[in-house]
């Protein structure tokens, strides 16, 4: 299954051999046409007023993407939550809880205490990571709900939330947004330009018109992106910003101890994210010896951690490194005699400038 997913991802971004690509094109063409028809019909119903967006009680900031996985929404959601909470507004993140098992509306963290539900298998890994970044200095609530409108109103009624930062949800037309921020990875952009499953697009490119602004995410890439920025600005007349993701630090997952980046070398790395190659690129300067990749949102077991430790020893690695998203899922599986570290990335993003150029008033 993993090998098939890799082939599909490679096909979406033009990395398959010609024969494999031709076979996948033939297999996915009809489903993609059907998917396109459904999406266009839904959007036409909203445009005609047959279906209507509903206003939630708090302000809604949507951090979304037009393509499948691995764009970098979670760090951006965290930065927006921090910004609004520091501005004195009662802020909450709202996620669907992808990969988790919780149903209904759930308070993962409120404003008054520690994380209420710490099991990433229940909440989903991204939600748990967001919750861990809510601190006394950057205090915001964390909510999950598959019904975004219900979740937002619940946060307003029960937590007095004034601003909701919605993780994903661009395709959710039911809830009206006060600000929609659309993210693109500058390296992958729109891939082959086709809709699912033929390509990585969730919606036609023309739907960018529904966004208020665009952020191009640069994950350590040296590839030129000015042509993408110019295309988006001229085609859709939207403000386009660039956010560089930089290595902030490495920390011990069990103890929280921060390790200076100059002390990191000879690495074995592993992850279960949408774009593992981009994560490994960050680690190349630290002498990356070997890697192990799992499916996105993979649920680790104790056996996996033992296998990872064995592979690291075989590679003569001094450090085992993973992502923050993976760290929240493995903390309880790490034995006392094993040290595994997470790499923390920080997006460079001028939220104040974004707000000034896109909306009249949010705060």
């Amino acid at each position: 299954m993993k090998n098939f997913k890799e082939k599909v991802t490679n096909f979406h971004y033009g990395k398959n051999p010609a024969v494999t690509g031709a076979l996948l094109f033939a297999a996915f063409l009809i489903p993609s046409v059907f998917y396109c028809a459904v999406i266009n019909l839904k959007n036409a119903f909203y445009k005609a007023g047959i279906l209507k967006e509903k206003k939630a009680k708090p302000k809604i900031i949507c951090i979304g993407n037009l393509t499948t996985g691995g764009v970098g929404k979670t760090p951006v959601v965290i930065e927006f939550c921090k910004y609004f909470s520091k501005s004195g507004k009662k802020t909450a993140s709202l996620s669907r809880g992808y990969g988790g098992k919780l149903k209904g509306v759930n308070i993962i963290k409120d404003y008054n205490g520690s994380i209420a539900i710490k099991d990433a298998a229940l909440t989903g890994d991204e939600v748990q990571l967001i919750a861990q970044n809510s601190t006394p200095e950057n205090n915001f609530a964390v909510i999950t709900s598959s019904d975004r409108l219900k979740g937002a109103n619940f946060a307003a009624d029960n937590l007095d939330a004034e601003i909701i930062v919605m993780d994903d949800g661009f395709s959710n037309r039911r809830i009206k947004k006060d600000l929609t921020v659309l993210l693109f990875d500058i390296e992958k952009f729109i891939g082959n330009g086709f809709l699912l499953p033929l390509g990585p697009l969730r919606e036609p490119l023309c739907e960018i018109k529904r966004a208020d602004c665009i952020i191009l995410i640069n994950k350590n890439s040296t590839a030129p992106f000015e042509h993408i920025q110019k295309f988006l600005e001229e085609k859709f007349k939207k403000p386009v910003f660039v956010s560089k993701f930089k290595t902030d630090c490495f920390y011990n997952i069990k103890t929280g101890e921060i390790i200076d980046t100059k002390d990191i070398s000879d690495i074995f790395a592993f992850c279960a994210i949408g774009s593992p190659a981009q994560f490994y690129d960050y680690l190349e300067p630290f002498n990356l010896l070997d890697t192990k990749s799992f499916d996105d949102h993979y649920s680790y077991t104790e056996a996996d951690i033992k296998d990872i430790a064995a592979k690291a020893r075989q590679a003569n690695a001094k450090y085992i490194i993973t992502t923050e998203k993976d760290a929240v899922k493995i903390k309880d599986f790490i034995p006392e005699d094993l040290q595994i570290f997470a790499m923390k990335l920080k997006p460079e993003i001028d939220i104040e400038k974004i707000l000034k150029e896109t909306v009249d008033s949010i705060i």
Side-chain angles (χ1 to χ4, degrees):
M1 184 63 178
K2 178 186 173 185
N3 190 44
F4 178 71
K5 286 183 178 180
E6 286 180 354
K7 282 184 168 61
V8 172
T9 300
N10 289 338
F11 172 65
H12 286 172
Y13 295 100
K15 298 177 182 179
N16 269 132
V19 174
T20 304
L23 290 172
L24 290 173
F25 184 91
F28 291 150
L29 178 59
I30 293 176
S32 184
V33 170
F34 177 76
Y35 176 84
C36 179
V38 172
I39 292 296
N40 284 335
L41 185 63
K42 180 191 76 171
N43 288 330
F45 280 172
Y46 274 101
K47 184 176 181 180
I50 299 171
L51 296 176
K52 297 182 183 297
E53 296 177 335
K54 296 183 179 180
K55 184 77 176 72
K57 294 178 182 179
K59 298 281 188 179
I60 303 295
I61 314 297
C62 174
I63 310 298
N65 59 304
L66 206 66
T67 58
T68 54
V71 178
K73 289 192 305 295
T74 303
V76 175
V77 167
I78 291 169
E79 290 301 306
F80 269 82
C81 286
K82 288 180 177 180
Y83 175 86
F84 287 119
S85 65
K86 283 181 178 178
S87 300
K89 293 291 184 179
K90 298 195 79 171
T91 304
S93 77
L94 174 60
S95 304
R96 183 162 61 96
Y98 183 83
K101 299 175 182 177
L102 297 174
K103 305 296 182 183
V105 180
N106 305 276
I107 301 176
I108 309 303
K109 184 185 180 301
D110 61 20
Y111 301 110
N112 300 317
S114 60
I115 301 172
I117 306 175
K118 296 183 179 181
D119 189 348
L122 293 176
T123 66
D125 46 20
E126 291 162 348
V127 172
Q128 200 63 213
L129 177 56
I130 293 170
Q132 289 189 3
N133 278 271
S134 175
T135 65
E137 296 77 25
N138 304 293
N139 189 19
F140 54 89
V142 180
I143 306 290
T144 63
S145 177
S146 58
D147 186 329
R148 302 303 183 90
L149 183 63
K150 186 176 180 180
N153 288 334
F154 177 92
D157 292 337
N158 295 272
L159 299 175
D160 296 323
E162 299 169 271
I163 293 179
I164 297 291
V165 181
M166 195 162 67
D167 181 9
D168 206 357
F170 180 75
S171 295
N172 187 328
R173 299 294 303 271
R174 184 165 172 259
I175 184 169
K176 184 175 177 58
K177 292 92 172 178
D178 295 282
L179 172 67
T180 298
V181 181
L182 201 56
L183 308 186
F184 286 99
D185 183 291
I186 65 166
E187 201 167 287
K188 298 188 298 183
F189 192 38
I190 60 171
N192 60 19
F194 291 112
L195 286 171
L196 287 167
L198 195 59
L201 290 177
R202 294 174 172 183
E203 299 208 27
L205 200 62
C206 64
E207 293 304 322
I208 289 176
K209 64 191 177 191
R210 301 200 328 255
D212 294 295
C213 68
I214 299 163
I215 299 179
L216 297 178
I217 302 297
N218 183 355
K219 298 178 183 175
N220 208 35
S221 175
T222 57
F225 60 87
E226 289 79 10
H227 63 293
I228 296 175
Q229 186 171 6
K230 183 178 180 181
F231 165 75
L232 291 170
E233 288 174 338
E234 293 182 353
K235 176 75 173 176
F236 299 102
K237 310 297 187 230
K238 305 289 182 181
V240 179
F241 307 91
V242 179
S243 176
K244 173 81 172 177
F245 277 31
K246 290 191 174 182
T247 305
D248 190 13
C249 67
F250 295 90
Y251 63 89
N252 187 306
I253 294 172
K254 291 286 281 188
T255 67
E257 177 191 6
I258 294 176
I259 306 298
D260 196 309
T261 55
K262 65 180 176 59
D263 296 327
I264 299 291
S265 65
D266 303 333
I267 288 172
F268 178 88
F270 69 97
C271 66
I273 59 175
S275 301
Q278 291 179 326
F279 168 58
Y280 300 143
D281 285 345
Y282 279 99
L283 300 177
E284 286 292 348
F286 303 98
N287 191 24
L288 180 62
L289 300 173
D290 200 3
T291 65
K292 172 70 174 176
S293 300
F294 299 84
D295 286 342
D296 194 15
H297 300 287
Y298 178 77
S299 295
Y300 292 95
T301 65
E302 291 185 28
D304 291 324
I305 303 305
K306 289 179 181 178
D307 182 59
I308 288 165
K311 283 182 166 56
R313 286 193 295 269
Q314 291 171 8
N316 293 316
K318 294 179 183 177
Y319 289 89
I320 303 175
I321 307 292
T322 191
T323 71
E324 284 196 285
K325 196 171 90 167
D326 293 288
V328 300
K329 295 187 287 187
I330 66 170
K331 184 176 181 179
D332 295 337
F333 294 147
I334 303 174
E336 294 299 326
D337 60 345
L338 180 65
Q339 291 188 327
I340 300 181
F341 298 83
M343 180 183 72
K344 186 176 183 64
L345 291 177
K346 182 175 178 60
E348 293 181 339
I349 179 169
D350 191 340
I351 296 176
E352 190 166 337
K353 181 179 180 182
I354 290 172
L355 294 176
K356 284 182 179 178
E357 294 191 21
T358 54
V359 290
D360 293 329
S361 178
I362 290 289
I363 60 173

